[in-house]
Amino acid sequence: MSVLDSKIPKGPLEEKWTNHKNHINLVNPANKRNIDIIVVGTGLAGGSAAATLAELGYNVKTFCYQDSPRRAHSIAAQGGINASKNYQGDGDSDYRLFYDTVKGGDYRAREANVYRLAEVSGNIIDQCVAQGVPFARDYGGQLDNRSFGGVLVSRTFYAKGQTGQQLLLGAYSAMNRQINRGKIKSYTRHEMLDVVIVDGKARGIIARDLVTGEIERHSGHAVVIASGGYGNVFYLSTNAMGSNATAAWKVHKKGAFFANPCFTQIHPTCIPVSGDHQSKLTLMSESLRNDGRIWVPKKLEDAKAIREGRLKPTQLAEEDRDYYLERRYPAFGNLVPRDVASRAAKERCDAGYGVNKTGEAVFLDFGSAFMRYGREAVSTQKIENATDEQIKKLGQKVVEAKYGNLFQMYEKIVDENPYETPMKIYPAVHYTMGGLWVDYNLQTTIPGLYAAGEANFSDHGANRLGASALMQGLADGYFVLPYTMGDYLAADIRTGAIPTDSPEFDEAEKLVRGQLEKLKNTNGTKSVDHFHKRLGKIMWDKVGMSRNATGLKEAIEEIRQLRDEFWNDVRIPGDMNGMNTELEKAGRVADFLELGELFAKDALHREESCGGHFREEYQTEEGEALRDDENFMYVAAWEYTGDPGKEVLHKENLDYEYIEVKTRSYK
């Protein structure tokens, strides 16, 4: 085991990034045209990085498995993007955004990276406004903000419930400009299946054309992995069905350390599971917790009556409702961080107060918001003697203007009108805070290999605050990588083009072909989805919202057995030399079956509870997470040794100089 060097610059926190930029190496504009960069993934992190690097003059190749970069999963982000502009005048600042992010991550994030994130956050908004992103505005024309969980200020910029889509279209338009200039070559329907290491440096990738089945070699002077997270290891998650961990896992197997895999976020505001045949879950934006109040019945008999359809939630008197977040966390109420809200919902449902047929749902009720906004509308419109029904209708119009598309989406999926009956929600796997270990420059342990956005671990610690994913992705792509990659690439201005006919490319392609042929020739009896669903059930039951040593040890053994069964009994119809979606899925599930074991191993080794990682053995009397700062205040970075169960642990100690580490209270 070693202690990792994160290459954090010396000096005061607020000066680190500026001083670092002033002293790192740069590449002359005339030399940038001689350097090739590969970007894997074209979501917010990859798309913004590709567009900016190409704008600077580098030659960029982008790869995505979708039919267009604009189909990246970033498009699904609904609620907003954080930035410390303090438009509301409620006391926000770079330091407060930095502090809230570190605190929200339960003091398991790297201070220097998080402060840089807060520092550049305002630039992101300016950049996106200049691109034409239609952020919401208030009556006076200023950009509007709303609140998200875990903070006491309004710092979330939004575009209705379509923020991710609008931001991605901004990055995509910037990419298209560079594609038109010939500075970006866009490879769609291509999947990266391995990284090529030459003389210890990342010098290219092996990719498969998902339409023709052709295996291709692509070289570059550096490679950026921006392929998102690994939430689909649970099978059911809020991720798109195609979201996968293959790019990150392949580079991990070539030497890039994987950090904190057990830090996975359970989002509290998802549409509950409806049946065994469901293939994914749908997220309802956390922004709904601004105005929606979360509750369950106070009495078990009322909960049972609602589950059986004998009682409607609107018939339950106010005094018979338990607004449990407001009761337990009065300072933050319904806007506690995601991990706190998720565990609280699970606790109530486990106690028998769940409100749907499965007993795994709580209510998200907008009744109070309708009346509050309605009274305000009555006052501003000078309506006299308004009835409660009139007030409610006026309030519903205000809520519709803020969240209308989310309400519409809920009604289409659930077939219930959320304006008339409260929404039902339950926690689900959402975002992964763990990922490839990177230093301050976002470089992995492989020189020349970088990781950005959700694919790296660096900014969120053990739990991500809402609206911070979009912030990190765009910060990494627009404002960090374009500087830090130059420091590395300055040594490559005389290297020339990287040939693809080298022994290293031969070996990498041989490895890729070998795995594909092995999968195709297994000729088993069970489908890929059969194994993925079984893996997901093991993960959710024993490595999910709460974990314990016994369950984790069982999960590790069960995953190993399932992996062996997969390689002996998976059935993949079709041909390898052409479009074959089952073959695509098989490769991804093979990676999940290895990642899942490391995930459980990491959770077993971390004998504490923090953020999204909750070990049942380590909790307070009130059922809150109980950290062990003395023994576990570090990043756990794992080195692949040929077997997921035998990975070697390396540590990056987290030394907090600017924040006092204390109990994370939201009461």
Side-chain angles (χ1 to χ4, degrees):
M1 183 182 69
S2 65
V3 177
L4 294 169
D5 179 12
S6 55
K7 298 183 175 64
I8 297 172
K10 298 189 183 307
L13 186 67
E14 63 276 8
E15 297 176 10
K16 287 182 186 293
W17 179 229
T18 299
N19 289 340
H20 188 59
K21 289 189 295 181
N22 287 341
H23 292 93
I24 58 178
N25 294 316
L26 299 176
V27 179
N28 183 300
N31 291 326
K32 286 174 181 166
R33 65 177 71 106
N34 299 318
I35 293 178
D36 305 319
I37 299 174
I38 290 172
V39 179
V40 180
T42 55
L44 287 181
S48 59
T52 309
L53 290 165
E55 180 80 41
L56 288 172
Y58 296 107
N59 306 309
V60 179
K61 287 184 179 180
T62 62
F63 295 82
C64 67
Y65 69 80
Q66 300 94 338
D67 58 1
S68 167
R70 69 178 181 276
R71 295 287 295 276
H73 188 58
S74 299
I75 205 167
Q78 299 165 340
I81 176 170
N82 287 334
S84 52
K85 278 186 169 292
N86 194 31
Y87 279 165
Q88 306 298 310
D90 55 2
D92 202 8
S93 64
D94 289 350
Y95 182 85
R96 285 191 180 275
L97 175 52
F98 155 69
Y99 173 81
D100 287 342
T101 304
V102 173
K103 178 186 176 187
D106 224 351
Y107 305 99
R108 294 294 179 265
R110 186 190 287 158
E111 264 193 332
N113 286 61
V114 178
Y115 192 87
R116 175 175 65 188
L117 178 66
E119 190 177 355
V120 304
S121 65
N123 296 341
I124 298 171
I125 305 303
D126 296 339
Q127 169 93 358
C128 294
V129 169
Q131 289 175 338
V133 173
F135 285 122
R137 295 181 180 268
D138 62 21
Y139 182 77
Q142 290 274 14
L143 295 178
D144 199 12
N145 287 149
R146 56 189 178 201
S147 298
F148 259 56
V151 303
L152 294 173
V153 298
S154 294
R155 65 162 66 102
T156 303
F157 296 78
Y158 64 99
K160 226 174 183 183
Q162 307 168 353
T163 313
Q165 177 179 352
Q166 299 301 332
L167 292 173
L168 186 61
L169 289 174
Y172 177 61
S173 66
M175 273 186 67
N176 268 343
R177 179 170 178 269
Q178 301 307 320
I179 291 171
N180 188 54
R181 292 180 62 218
K183 296 303 292 181
I184 292 179
K185 290 184 179 179
S186 175
Y187 292 84
T188 60
R189 300 295 290 136
H190 278 66
E191 184 163 31
M192 171 189 158
L193 295 180
D194 209 352
V195 65
V196 181
I197 310 295
V198 180
D199 295 331
K201 298 179 179 180
R203 291 303 200 191
I205 66 170
I206 305 296
R208 180 172 182 265
D209 185 323
L210 299 179
V211 176
T212 67
E214 184 179 353
I215 306 299
E216 301 176 359
R217 304 178 180 192
H218 296 273
S219 66
H221 297 88
V223 177
V224 177
I225 303 298
S227 53
Y230 48 91
N232 275 355
V233 70
F234 286 85
Y235 185 68
L236 283 179
S237 81
T238 66
N239 287 249
M241 288 291 290
S243 297
N244 64 86
T246 288
W249 192 251
K250 296 302 187 188
V251 302
H252 171 55
K253 294 175 77 168
K254 282 294 184 70
F257 292 0
F258 207 100
N260 297 338
C262 77
F263 287 168
T264 301
Q265 183 171 82
I266 311 293
H267 197 294
T269 319
C270 299
I271 296 177
V273 175
S274 61
D276 292 338
H277 300 291
Q278 197 164 347
S279 58
K280 80 173 297 292
L281 297 174
T282 302
L283 169 69
M284 299 303 296
S285 170
E286 183 178 319
S287 62
L288 295 173
R289 289 200 279 150
N290 269 301
D291 290 309
R293 300 177 70 193
I294 297 171
W295 64 275
V296 293
K298 284 183 178 178
K299 302 173 184 174
L300 284 169
E301 56 266 31
D302 288 339
K304 183 179 180 182
I306 288 175
R307 285 197 297 270
E308 295 175 353
R310 294 182 286 107
L311 179 68
K312 294 181 179 179
T314 50
Q315 295 173 324
L316 203 62
E318 190 73 12
E319 60 269 18
D320 293 325
R321 303 179 180 191
D322 178 16
Y323 296 94
Y324 57 89
L325 291 178
E326 298 172 32
R327 168 173 57 82
R328 292 177 61 177
Y329 309 101
F332 284 76
N334 296 295
L335 289 174
V336 292
R338 292 175 174 178
D339 61 313
V340 177
S342 294
R343 284 197 297 274
K346 182 179 187 295
E347 184 276 327
R348 287 290 79 195
C349 290
D350 288 350
Y353 294 91
V355 296
N356 68 345
K357 291 180 180 179
T358 66
E360 294 186 330
V362 299
F363 287 124
L364 179 63
D365 193 339
F366 285 81
S368 297
F370 295 152
M371 300 307 291
R372 183 176 73 254
Y373 286 125
R375 292 189 191 96
E376 189 175 308
V378 164
S379 178
T380 57
Q381 296 175 31
K382 309 302 181 186
I383 299 174
E384 296 184 5
N385 302 319
T387 65
D388 285 348
E389 190 60 28
Q390 285 178 301
I391 293 171
K392 180 181 176 182
K393 291 294 183 186
L394 288 168
Q396 286 176 342
K397 288 182 179 179
V398 176
V399 170
E400 183 179 9
K402 296 178 72 173
Y403 311 111
N405 61 312
L406 299 173
F407 276 56
Q408 184 182 45
M409 181 177 72
Y410 179 90
E411 185 170 4
K412 283 185 176 181
I413 293 171
V414 181
D415 195 26
E416 287 183 0
N417 184 350
Y419 293 101
E420 300 301 330
T421 188
M423 291 182 181
K424 295 187 187 80
I425 58 169
Y426 194 69
V429 173
H430 180 51
Y431 185 92
T432 53
M433 285 76 67
L436 295 170
W437 185 89
V438 292
D439 61 19
Y440 188 73
N441 291 327
L442 304 188
Q443 187 169 221
T444 69
T445 46
I446 299 175
L449 181 71
Y450 293 79
E454 193 178 358
N456 75 34
F457 87 99
S458 68
D459 291 5
H460 306 297
N463 181 57
R464 176 177 67 84
L465 291 181
S468 285
L470 306 187
M471 175 175 61
Q472 186 212 346
L474 292 181
D476 288 354
Y478 283 137
F479 299 110
V480 180
L481 281 177
Y483 286 101
T484 61
M485 291 189 74
D487 189 42
Y488 170 81
L489 293 168
D492 267 327
I493 59 175
R494 293 185 177 86
T495 301
I498 307 296
T500 60
D501 57 355
S502 64
E504 292 85 356
F505 273 90
D506 293 343
E507 182 62 29
E509 181 176 338
K510 181 181 176 182
L511 187 69
V512 167
R513 286 189 184 277
Q515 182 178 39
L516 292 173
E517 289 170 357
K518 184 178 179 182
L519 285 168
K520 183 68 192 70
N521 296 330
T522 300
N523 296 321
T525 62
K526 297 182 178 67
S527 70
V528 176
D529 283 344
H530 167 84
F531 292 100
H532 198 177
K533 287 179 180 179
R534 285 173 60 188
L535 172 64
K537 182 165 177 55
I538 296 169
M539 294 295 295
W540 181 251
D541 289 346
K542 297 178 179 179
V543 202
M545 228 188 306
S546 62
R547 306 144 185 186
N548 58 60
T550 301
L552 290 168
K553 290 174 183 176
E554 291 173 354
I556 290 170
E557 185 58 35
E558 289 172 19
I559 292 169
R560 292 183 74 88
Q561 293 174 4
L562 183 63
R563 187 164 68 244
D564 290 341
E565 186 181 338
F566 170 85
W567 282 104
N568 287 301
D569 200 23
V570 69
R571 177 178 57 83
I572 301 170
D575 195 347
M576 191 176 123
N577 300 314
M579 182 180 289
N580 190 333
T581 55
E582 284 300 297
L583 184 61
E584 292 171 35
K585 286 196 296 184
R588 297 164 188 170
V589 172
D591 295 329
F592 281 139
L593 283 164
E594 294 181 343
L595 172 58
E597 183 176 349
L598 178 62
F599 189 128
K601 179 184 175 76
D602 186 49
L604 180 63
H605 116 274
R606 189 170 282 277
E607 296 178 339
E608 64 165 352
S609 292
C610 58
H613 167 62
F614 191 77
R615 283 284 296 271
E616 293 170 2
E617 305 94 326
Y618 307 101
Q619 56 182 301
T620 66
E621 292 182 1
E622 296 81 21
E624 304 295 346
L626 183 62
R627 296 196 320 266
D628 182 352
D629 294 336
E630 183 176 348
N631 294 306
F632 289 97
M633 192 173 282
Y634 60 76
V635 176
W638 297 92
E639 178 185 8
Y640 188 78
T641 59
D643 183 335
K646 297 178 181 178
E647 299 223 3
V648 176
L649 174 65
H650 300 265
K651 296 180 181 179
E652 177 197 337
N653 294 319
L654 297 171
D655 300 317
Y656 288 99
E657 301 177 48
Y658 300 92
I659 284 183
E660 179 186 355
V661 178
K662 51 190 176 183
T663 302
R664 189 182 63 147
S665 174
Y666 290 92
K667 296 185 177 180

